[in-house]
Amino acid sequence: MTYQPPVREHLFLLRDVLEIEKHANLPGFSDASMDVVEQILDEAAKFTSEVLAPLNPVGDKQGCHWAADNTVTTPKGFKEAYKALVEGGWPALGAEPEFGGQGLPAVVNLAFSEMSSSANMAFSMYPGLTHGAYSAILNGGSDAQKALYLPKLASGQWGGTMNLTEPHCGTDLGLLRTKAVPQGDGTYRISGQKIWISGGEHDLTENIVHLVLARIEGTPAGTRGISLFIVPKFIPKADGTPGERNNVKCAGLEEKMGIHGNATCVMMHDEATGWLVGEENRGLNLMFVMMNEARLGVGMQGLAQGEAAYQAAAAFAKDRLQGRALTGPKNPDGPADPILVHPDVRRMLMDSRAILEAGRAFLFWTALHGDLAHADPDEAVRQKALDYMGLMTPVLKGYLTDRGFNICSDAMQVHGGSGFTEHFPASQYLRDCRISLIYEGTNGVQALDLVGRKLAANGGRAVMTFFAEVDAFVAANEDDAALKPFVEGLAAVKAQLQDGTFWLMQNGLANPDNAGAASTDYMHLFGITGLAYMWAKMAKVAQGKIAAGDADPFYANKLTVGRYFVERILPNGGAHLAKLKTGAATLMALPDEAF
């Protein structure tokens, strides 16, 4: 069974749940009528399922190859697929028109990105990181830098990377040693080693634009002295075409558990020519623009791999004959029943689907707020949207990748022994998904960011706004009998999240280890609450369609999966609350030497 992009799910969210046409008066949305969006998604489905998905196992088996001349060759078919991607205009979907982009809302672009990542995660990382580089230069670059780099990054003609990590420092960027020496002509000499650089070298684009964190000589120690530089593989000539080869090269590739089709490089900067982006010592601020976008993208990757794995598992469960149903044969003319009849197999598939459908809604809902943060003329709307983007980004990254990996693991379990072999796709989905829990800040770091920074920002304004929004939804719908289980479930888990929030406020300050010990359970409690809110919103739409006489089974199925979430997944919120409130005492009690 090949991957089938969930276009119907995307249209349901964009048209019926998020109602993006309500924003038709805003830039970008004015060109995103649902007729246009449907055409885009249909074409995206064809491209990702017919061009990218068949290359997924190819990339996994062949991987990328490094040569002694520091060049990297991508797997067979990747170059042709990338050429088709650029010719189709797919990288430019969400880029600004002034730089050659199509200017569509980011939430529409996210739908394409999900399809692309489900079809071929390793391939989709190349344009994904390029768009991150585009965003960083858009936010901090000079007019000249924007004019030179953004059209080529927006189109995908040039690639882009993030150069952060060094052998001795990952999350703690204050330890980085890469140095930048000013040359007096507006350029800097960049020297240092960077590791784990996705797409650092490849044969897909004519140039690669590296965004490099480095420390200018004489600047403060720690994170306060870090600046951001553009270090292109080929230094652009006056006419903007690639010129002289810069002194940055790939010294080798990492041997990885998954995403073999993406080149993960060791990059050597040996007095390479670089240009400062923005102000000196403000590099982390700009890089976080790129990293926050990347973190939402990684949350999407967890969802996307889960979706592909779920589809493969569901198809296998309907086809694989094994045993008889507990209530009597369901396939009496065959030697056995499909394993789909077994409750435990259904449990795994229903768990997956209930998480995926609401997780996608949560991701799209947040992306829509990202669009409003840029485009809405109302300052209050923009402030709320920015607050939500800051608050929800670590939740989506951490929760969706944790759950996405669990879904991939369950998909392998549904496949049984077949899933542990390389004859079926379950193994690749599991291996590829695993990195999403680690890069762009491990999920433990995301949880710490959530409880240590995002909750307290602006006096807790973001989380209190979210609580008020959920309360308003509950109040507006509590008398709707058809929605009762969804509304009551939402109200209950929101109360648990509020309880956990207040506990953190009281106990995290007294002992920071309490906040650290509670952080992961709190992040998961927040994720479950977000999904409960999405299920209530989706159920309201589906129930309204049914009440209006729409017989499409899509809506009845939606309600069935939603009720499963309320009954069998929502109770996990209470367990997370109980665990987080135990604090750090037992967790930290064992002496170091006992480990």
Side-chain angles (χ1 to χ4, degrees), residues 198-232:
S198 300
E201 178 62 39
H202 54 75
D203 56 0
L204 303 179
T205 60
E206 65 182 23
N207 203 358
I208 302 173
V209 181
H210 302 290
L211 287 184
V212 184
L213 286 181
R215 194 183 304 280
I216 299 172
E217 287 188 323
T219 55
T223 57
R224 291 183 300 128
I226 296 174
S227 300
L228 181 65
F229 298 88
I230 294 173
V231 182

Side-chain angles (χ1 to χ4, degrees), residues 38-167:
E38 186 166 359
Q39 291 175 4
I40 290 171
L41 296 185
D42 284 341
E43 289 303 313
K46 291 177 187 175
F47 178 76
T48 55
S49 63
E50 296 173 8
V51 177
L52 299 187
L55 293 174
N56 200 36
V58 176
D60 186 50
K61 290 177 173 59
Q62 291 187 3
C64 295
H65 296 279
W66 177 84
D69 61 356
N70 306 115
T71 60
V72 172
T73 304
T74 53
K76 184 177 180 181
F78 271 44
K79 280 184 72 172
E80 294 77 9
Y82 190 84
K83 183 172 184 248
L85 178 90
V86 172
E87 289 176 349
W90 296 111
L93 272 185
E96 279 66 19
E98 64 182 299
F99 300 115
Q102 298 176 39
L104 290 171
V107 69
V108 175
N109 188 46
L110 185 63
F112 168 73
S113 297
E114 185 206 324
M115 295 185 204
S116 175
S117 190
S118 285
N120 195 324
M121 178 173 162
F123 177 94
S124 69
M125 289 171 64
Y126 293 107
L129 285 161
T130 297
H131 191 73
Y134 167 93
S135 297
I137 296 174
L138 178 68
N139 278 272
S142 67
D143 289 343
Q145 288 170 342
K146 292 177 185 178
L148 174 59
Y149 291 105
L150 294 189
K152 295 178 175 64
L153 291 171
S155 68
Q157 182 181 350
W158 291 3
T161 74
M162 266 194 302
N163 279 228
L164 286 78
T165 306
E166 299 181 7

Side-chain angles (χ1 to χ4, degrees), residues 516-536:
S519 59
T520 291
D521 280 297
Y522 182 82
M523 179 181 71
H524 276 261
L525 176 54
F526 209 129
I528 290 172
T529 306
L531 265 59
Y533 185 32
M534 295 302 113
W535 267 121

Side-chain angles (χ1 to χ4, degrees), residues 73-381:
T73 304
T74 53
K76 184 177 180 181
F78 271 44
K79 280 184 72 172
E80 294 77 9
Y82 190 84
K83 183 172 184 248
L85 178 90
V86 172
E87 289 176 349
W90 296 111
L93 272 185
E96 279 66 19
E98 64 182 299
F99 300 115
Q102 298 176 39
L104 290 171
V107 69
V108 175
N109 188 46
L110 185 63
F112 168 73
S113 297
E114 185 206 324
M115 295 185 204
S116 175
S117 190
S118 285
N120 195 324
M121 178 173 162
F123 177 94
S124 69
M125 289 171 64
Y126 293 107
L129 285 161
T130 297
H131 191 73
Y134 167 93
S135 297
I137 296 174
L138 178 68
N139 278 272
S142 67
D143 289 343
Q145 288 170 342
K146 292 177 185 178
L148 174 59
Y149 291 105
L150 294 189
K152 295 178 175 64
L153 291 171
S155 68
Q157 182 181 350
W158 291 3
T161 74
M162 266 194 302
N163 279 228
L164 286 78
T165 306
E166 299 181 7
H168 58 282
C169 73
T171 301
D172 190 355
L173 291 170
L175 298 175
L176 73 78
R177 297 172 185 157
T178 299
K179 68 178 182 178
V181 180
Q183 299 300 295
D185 61 355
T187 67
Y188 293 75
R189 292 287 185 229
I190 311 296
S191 300
Q193 182 182 15
K194 300 288 185 176
I195 62 171
W196 304 335
I197 308 306
S198 300
E201 178 62 39
H202 54 75
D203 56 0
L204 303 179
T205 60
E206 65 182 23
N207 203 358
I208 302 173
V209 181
H210 302 290
L211 287 184
V212 184
L213 286 181
R215 194 183 304 280
I216 299 172
E217 287 188 323
T219 55
T223 57
R224 291 183 300 128
I226 296 174
S227 300
L228 181 65
F229 298 88
I230 294 173
V231 182
K233 175 181 174 180
F234 294 101
I235 297 173
K237 294 187 288 190
D239 63 359
T241 58
E244 178 186 353
R245 183 75 160 84
N246 206 350
N247 210 9
V248 53
K249 63 185 179 182
C250 171
L253 296 178
E254 299 291 349
E255 293 290 335
K256 309 187 299 289
M257 172 181 176
I259 54 169
H260 296 150
N262 193 268
T264 305
C265 304
V266 176
M267 301 301 297
M268 301 298 299
H269 299 265
D270 186 8
E271 296 196 343
T273 301
W275 285 264
L276 179 69
V277 184
E279 302 174 22
E280 289 187 7
N281 305 332
R282 300 284 292 170
L284 273 186
N285 301 66
L286 286 174
M287 187 59 86
F288 271 114
V289 171
M290 192 171 180
M291 287 186 69
N292 280 333
E293 180 171 308
R295 284 169 175 171
L296 279 179
V298 173
M300 176 273 296
Q301 286 180 332
L303 178 92
Q305 292 304 288
E307 173 67 32
Y310 162 76
Q311 288 190 19
F316 184 89
K318 288 188 277 190
D319 185 64
R320 173 72 164 171
L321 302 181
Q322 198 91 147
R324 291 295 188 188
L326 299 175
T327 52
K330 299 296 185 285
N331 179 34
D333 295 331
D337 289 334
I339 62 172
L340 186 61
V341 304
H342 302 306
D344 195 60
V345 171
R346 288 209 170 218
R347 174 189 60 80
M348 290 184 280
L349 295 175
M350 288 294 286
D351 273 3
S352 301
R353 187 158 166 178
I355 293 290
L356 289 168
E357 292 184 15
R360 179 181 294 111
F362 195 16
L363 192 65
F364 280 33
W365 176 82
T366 305
L368 176 59
H369 280 98
D371 284 315
L372 298 179
H374 295 296
D376 201 286
D378 187 327
E379 184 179 352
V381 172

Side-chain angles (χ1 to χ4, degrees), residues 410-580:
D410 280 347
M412 177 176 280
Q413 191 72 13
V414 170
H415 279 80
S418 299
F420 199 67
T421 71
E422 297 299 326
H423 300 296
F424 288 83
S427 168
Q428 184 184 352
Y429 293 135
L430 188 74
R431 289 184 286 104
D432 284 355
C433 189
R434 190 60 185 83
I435 186 58
S436 68
L437 285 71
I438 298 171
Y439 61 12
E440 305 305 338
T442 66
N443 286 358
V445 168
Q446 302 303 317
L448 280 175
D449 179 46
L450 175 64
V451 303
R453 294 176 61 233
K454 298 303 173 60
L455 283 184
N458 301 303
R461 185 176 67 201
V463 73
M464 294 307 171
T465 301
F466 178 66
F467 288 157
E469 180 173 334
V470 172
D471 286 343
F473 181 92
V474 169
N477 295 281
E478 60 187 352
D479 294 330
D480 188 332
L483 292 180
K484 184 177 180 181
F486 296 96
V487 173
E488 288 184 347
L490 173 60
V493 76
K494 178 262 173 184
Q496 291 170 340
L497 180 62
Q498 195 161 9
D499 187 0
T501 303
F502 291 152
W503 186 92
L504 278 169
M505 290 177 177
Q506 293 167 358
N507 294 275
L509 290 175
N511 178 3
D513 277 344
N514 281 332
S519 59
T520 291
D521 280 297
Y522 182 82
M523 179 181 71
H524 276 261
L525 176 54
F526 209 129
I528 290 172
T529 306
L531 265 59
Y533 185 32
M534 295 302 113
W535 267 121
K537 291 170 76 72
M538 291 190 293
K540 182 175 181 178
V541 173
Q543 193 64 52
K545 295 285 187 181
I546 292 170
D550 195 324
D552 187 343
F554 176 90
Y555 301 113
N557 292 342
K558 185 67 65 179
L559 291 172
T560 298
V561 178
R563 283 192 292 269
Y564 179 91
F565 174 88
V566 171
E567 292 177 7
R568 296 191 61 107
I569 295 176
L570 204 51
N572 292 335
H576 287 301
L577 177 63
K579 288 189 289 182
L580 78 84

